[in-house]
Amino acid sequence: WKSFYMDPEVRNYYFIGKDNIPFHSVVWPGMILGLNGINMPYDVVANEFLRFRGKQFSKSRGIGFTANELLALTTRDYLRYYLSAILPENSDADFSPEDMAEKVNSEFIDKYGNFVHRVTSFAFNNSIDLRRGVPDSEDLKILAFAEKKYSMYREKLERAEVKRALQEWLELVRESNIYFNGAKPWDIVKTDRDRGSTKLWVAYKLAQYM
């Protein structure tokens, strides 16, 4: 444990609820000061409360779910996505199984998963060798947008603003779908295979930024 808690290069993030702010930002750091060489908290990330249909999660009162109960109903990735999407960074948020199913299906699966599937399956099924040709103005525009969004996404993650970072990511996913639908490489390759390959190459680059 010393290699982690005493390494000056390691950042310690404390993810807590708003009710624990005084202890983790005043009392606990004061205790650490008395222990030579132990890392101080790099960032105390205090969130608001996560509720279940308007009520406080409570195991004793049977309100809400445990993590294991949720993992018996869905996958880790889906649960992580939903919790990131509703993370109560600025105000209390409600957890809802119905809302989780809707967000996962409409955003994570339909927008992101479907985009990646369409691009890869079309290239594979049509034996298209992805090559970067001469990009047109729309190609350059979406690539510049992707680079900007990726940078903003990383900046927000550095500040432990997970929900805001995910919103930047989702905006990139939406715009990438708009680009791909507008580019229509399935039509272009019929008359200009090289240009169609370029469009698919751009789509692959967009997926890499995701």
Side-chain angles (χ1 to χ4, degrees):
W1 65 271
K2 289 184 178 180
S3 64
F4 180 84
Y5 285 102
M6 300 183 75
D7 183 347
E9 298 299 318
V10 173
R11 296 178 178 181
N12 290 277
Y13 291 81
Y14 287 65
F15 290 87
I16 62 173
K18 59 185 177 182
D19 53 332
N20 285 323
I21 291 176
F23 177 81
H24 283 94
S25 63
V26 180
V27 180
W28 178 241
M31 296 171 67
I32 292 178
L33 284 174
L35 303 171
N36 292 329
I38 303 295
N39 291 339
M40 293 289 289
Y42 175 80
D43 192 359
V44 179
V45 186
N47 290 308
E48 305 288 332
F49 290 141
L50 182 64
R51 301 180 181 277
F52 180 72
R53 294 174 176 166
K55 298 180 180 180
Q56 190 73 39
F57 270 84
S58 174
K59 184 176 181 179
S60 61
R61 289 180 292 163
I63 300 175
F65 298 89
T66 66
N68 286 335
E69 287 172 343
L70 286 171
L71 289 174
L73 301 174
T74 188
T75 68
R76 286 183 173 86
D77 286 340
Y78 292 168
L79 182 57
R80 285 170 180 153
Y81 181 84
Y82 180 62
L83 289 176
S84 297
I86 66 166
L87 198 65
E89 292 180 339
N90 295 316
S91 60
D92 292 351
D94 264 356
F95 181 99
S96 163
E98 295 81 10
D99 186 46
M100 178 171 65
E102 193 280 328
K103 274 192 174 298
V104 167
N105 286 323
S106 66
E107 297 175 358
F108 190 69
I109 295 176
D110 184 53
K111 290 184 173 63
Y112 169 65
N114 193 40
F115 172 77
V116 174
H117 175 72
R118 289 172 68 200
V119 174
T120 55
S121 61
F122 180 77
F124 178 80
N125 292 334
N126 293 275
S127 302
I128 298 176
D129 184 17
L130 299 182
R131 295 178 181 174
R132 177 177 180 174
V134 180
D136 60 27
S137 60
E138 290 300 315
D139 301 335
L140 296 174
K141 181 180 178 181
I142 191 63
L143 288 173
F145 177 83
E147 186 173 353
K148 177 182 177 182
K149 283 297 168 183
Y150 180 68
S151 177
M152 295 173 69
Y153 166 79
R154 291 198 57 164
E155 287 175 6
K156 286 179 170 57
L157 280 185
E158 283 285 334
R159 297 196 297 266
E161 298 174 355
V162 178
K163 181 179 180 179
R164 294 185 183 92
L166 187 65
Q167 290 169 348
E168 300 289 352
W169 176 86
L170 188 57
E171 190 173 346
L172 171 58
V173 172
R174 288 176 178 140
E175 291 299 319
S176 296
N177 275 285
I178 292 174
Y179 165 81
F180 192 66
N181 290 333
K184 298 181 179 179
W186 49 89
D187 285 339
I188 295 176
V189 295
K190 296 175 183 177
T191 56
D192 190 339
R193 198 169 182 84
D194 288 340
R195 185 162 170 260
S197 176
T198 298
K199 292 294 181 181
L200 281 173
W201 180 87
V202 171
Y204 262 82
K205 290 295 293 183
L206 295 176
Q208 288 178 339
Y209 278 114
M210 299 173 193

